[in-house]
Amino acid sequence: MYKGYITDIEGIKIGHAQNFDAGTGVTVLIPPRGNTASVEVRGGGPGTRETDLLNPINTVSEVSALVLSGGSSYGLSASVGVVEELEKDGIGFKLPSGVIVPIVSQAILYDLDYKESKIRPDAKMGKEAYENANFDENRQGIIGAGTGATVGKAMGEDFLMKSGLGSGTIEVGDLKVSAIVALNAMGDIFDDENGKQIAGIYKDNKFIPTIDVLCDLYKKNQIDKKNSLNTTIGIVASNGKFSKTELRKIAGMAHNGYARAIRPVHTMLDGDTIFSLATNKVKADINLVGALSAKVMARAIANAIYYSKIEDSGEFI
């Protein structure tokens, strides 16, 4: 397991809410005021809210909250509860009229087939996650947006593995770079730094490479029959000072962490999304932070698997 959690960055709060019986949940990140944020979406099937606003050519550069959730497009309702609570707390973009408009960006993953498809994250669950947000949260595994996450799906649900939520932090002097991710991938999962596969399609006590399965389906003219709806969603954050344009580049570099740890990634049935956030406290280099963002994202992905194992037994649930 890798050390650290995204709340290591001063001023960031994390809150979770979930329904374990239904197998779905929400994770809310509340950043300090004066932050800057952007996003990069690379999957072919994304589900998002307020991501266009984070484009560097658009107006607002500061977010009130970032939300990760299950529930597919239904889960976008979770942000409604977060917005309502932020408004009560007076947090958001202040208009000339005095009206406060919270800026809440969100990405969702597909977990409807995991347990109960009729129960999804909603405004109530989003409100609960917001109310649970605190500076000391450090739980990983089957929690929040990772509650219904699974990996290794190309051969169907009989051979997949349970995944969850992972996080990690890298420190270089005063600089901190962190990631949090809800890992819900079709492909094989690797601990990049240790060079080993840690999750994926598991059959007869061994891993079956996803690319081999896809090749076999193609040869049999059955590849269109593969039913695998996925999406890995995450956030990279640092205490460095960055513009929205620079954060867009950092988010793009952080996707290299996906590529190192998930194989294949960014398919047409993934909505892979990474938000990037800066709390703007210390001077930092974009190349270093971008490179560290990829590294810490790969670590967070590995942690999403490690923390989702049953303690001591090494089995998956």
Side-chain angles (χ1 to χ4, degrees):
M1 294 181 182
Y2 293 99
K3 67 179 183 179
Y5 201 83
I6 201 166
T7 48
D8 293 332
I9 296 179
E10 291 82 359
I12 287 180
K13 296 192 291 185
I14 289 287
H16 304 299
Q18 54 283 313
N19 184 319
F20 292 117
D21 292 333
T24 195
V26 179
T27 295
V28 177
L29 183 152
I30 309 296
R33 298 189 186 190
N35 69 79
T36 313
S38 192
V39 68
E40 178 95 359
V41 181
R42 293 206 178 168
T48 58
R49 167 198 163 102
E50 295 281 33
T51 50
D52 284 349
L53 197 62
L54 300 184
N55 188 312
I57 68 172
N58 293 330
T59 302
V60 176
S61 61
E62 180 176 336
V63 292
S64 309
L66 295 173
V67 178
L68 308 177
S69 86
S72 191
S73 60
Y74 297 106
L76 293 171
S77 299
S79 283
V80 175
V82 178
V83 167
E84 290 174 348
E85 294 307 302
L86 286 164
E87 182 185 21
K88 291 177 185 177
D89 290 340
I91 300 173
F93 184 73
K94 189 173 183 179
L95 299 175
S97 64
V99 173
I100 297 292
V101 179
I103 306 300
V104 178
S105 298
Q106 180 181 1
I108 53 88
L109 57 80
Y110 185 90
D111 57 7
L112 298 180
D113 294 335
Y114 176 54
K115 286 188 177 180
E116 176 50 70
S117 64
K118 295 298 184 181
I119 298 176
R120 310 113 177 187
D122 55 12
K124 182 179 178 182
M125 190 180 287
K127 176 182 177 181
E128 181 183 351
Y130 177 85
E131 291 175 340
N132 289 340
N134 66 86
F135 298 115
D136 299 316
E137 179 62 71
N138 63 2
R139 288 175 292 173
Q140 301 185 57
I142 304 169
I143 193 76
T147 302
T150 54
V151 298
K153 305 175 189 179
M155 286 180 63
E157 63 182 16
D158 291 340
F159 305 101
L160 56 73
M161 283 186 166
K162 188 72 186 78
S163 180
L165 190 81
S167 190
T169 298
I170 297 174
E171 298 186 28
V172 181
D174 293 334
L175 177 67
K176 296 180 180 179
V177 182
S178 297
I180 191 167
V181 64
L183 175 63
N184 192 56
M186 175 186 73
D188 310 323
I189 309 303
F190 289 78
D191 182 331
D192 176 60
E193 291 179 58
N194 287 315
K196 64 177 182 179
Q197 185 172 351
I198 56 175
I201 302 169
Y202 203 65
K203 182 180 179 183
D204 298 330
N205 297 315
K206 64 180 180 180
F207 291 118
I208 307 297
T210 294
I211 193 67
D212 289 354
V213 173
L214 296 179
C215 288
D216 188 54
L217 289 171
Y218 177 77
K219 291 175 183 177
K220 295 177 180 177
N221 198 30
Q222 295 177 342
I223 198 163
D224 290 338
K225 296 180 180 180
K226 180 184 64 62
N227 181 18
S228 179
L229 298 173
N230 319 289
T231 297
T232 296
I233 49 179
I235 304 165
V236 291
S238 82
N239 61 350
K241 297 179 181 179
F242 292 108
S243 68
K244 192 159 64 163
T245 300
E246 291 171 321
L247 285 171
R248 179 67 174 265
K249 178 62 176 177
I250 288 170
M253 293 177 73
H255 273 279
N256 293 333
Y258 278 13
R260 294 173 189 173
I262 306 169
R263 307 174 197 175
V265 71
H266 301 149
T267 74
M268 293 304 293
L269 293 175
D270 290 307
D272 298 329
T273 299
I274 297 178
F275 294 101
S276 54
L277 179 81
T279 61
N280 298 314
K281 298 300 182 183
V282 302
K283 184 178 179 180
D285 176 72
I286 184 173
N287 295 306
L288 174 61
V289 171
L292 292 178
S293 293
K295 184 172 184 174
V296 78
M297 179 57 77
R299 288 183 176 185
I301 287 169
N303 277 347
I305 297 299
Y306 293 141
Y307 280 91
S308 296
K309 293 181 180 179
I310 299 175
E311 190 173 2
D312 295 329
S313 72
E315 296 177 358
F316 289 83
I317 60 173

